Amino acid sequence: MQVKVIDHPLIQHKLTHIRDVTTGTKEFRELLDEIAMLMTYELTRNLNLEEVEIQTPVAKCKAKVLAGKKMGVIPILRAGLGMVNGVLKIIPAARVGHVGLYRDPQTLQPVEYYCKLPTDVQERDMIVIDPMLATGGSCVAAIDLVKKHGARNIKLMCLVAAPEGVQAVNDAHPDVEIYAAAVDECLNDHGYIIPGLGDAGDRIFGTK
Ligand code: PRP
Ligand code: URA
């Protein structure tokens, strides 16, 4: 199973609060935003740099800036939206695309209803974001779509993953690195992650 668990103490502390059933919508959103920001810091650790020459107030010097085109961030609607602002706090110039998928409650299969991606995805480093990687169906389908539009360099950022979901993404997209704050025990009969945090979309948007 290939997955990078980001076990920074701040992320683990915030994750515990986000899991807690007594955490309300406002706090849930704030915590998810903060965790997404901290995870993005780790996920962008190996971005390529190039050298430029600049003038400081006292001298000329060579210094480093990010190389290549601006990154692309693709939240999977709807719960992925809860992580977008956190990512943009670290990489504010990133382009944002959207993939709309919902999981059919009976079949657990992803159903696509929207796709709008930045242009030139083939030239950008892309991050697909979704707090929950359960069966993996939604993330596999979203990555399929982003690849169909030409993207070659994709990372997946999740909050909580199930082993089944990690395996599904590893099998379908072995080139995609997965980052998660936790890999939980298993899925229940309804495809929910155990212990997980419940329905991420409902907890972010207060719809249940
Ligand atoms: C949730 C979650 C993932 C998906 C994970 O979305 O945000 O996208 O389920 O499950 P999977 O790995 O088994 O595909 P949901 O379908 O509930 O839609 P929502 O975000 O609109 O609430
Ligand atoms: N989607 C969620 O929001 N939570 C789960 O545990 C599984 C899928």
Side-chain angles (χ1 to χ4, degrees), residues 31-47:
L31 287 164
L32 185 57
D33 182 74
E34 290 164 9
I35 295 174
M37 185 177 72
L38 293 166
M39 289 186 75
T40 304
Y41 182 75
E42 277 300 319
L43 189 134
T44 50
R45 182 174 287 283
N46 295 319
L47 286 182

Side-chain angles (χ1 to χ4, degrees), residues 76-79 101-103 130 132-138 199 201:
I76 302 178
L77 308 179
R78 139 190 90 133
L101 293 170
Y102 70 87
R103 196 172 73 153
D130 193 322
M132 308 309 281
L133 177 59
T135 65
S138 303
D199 188 303

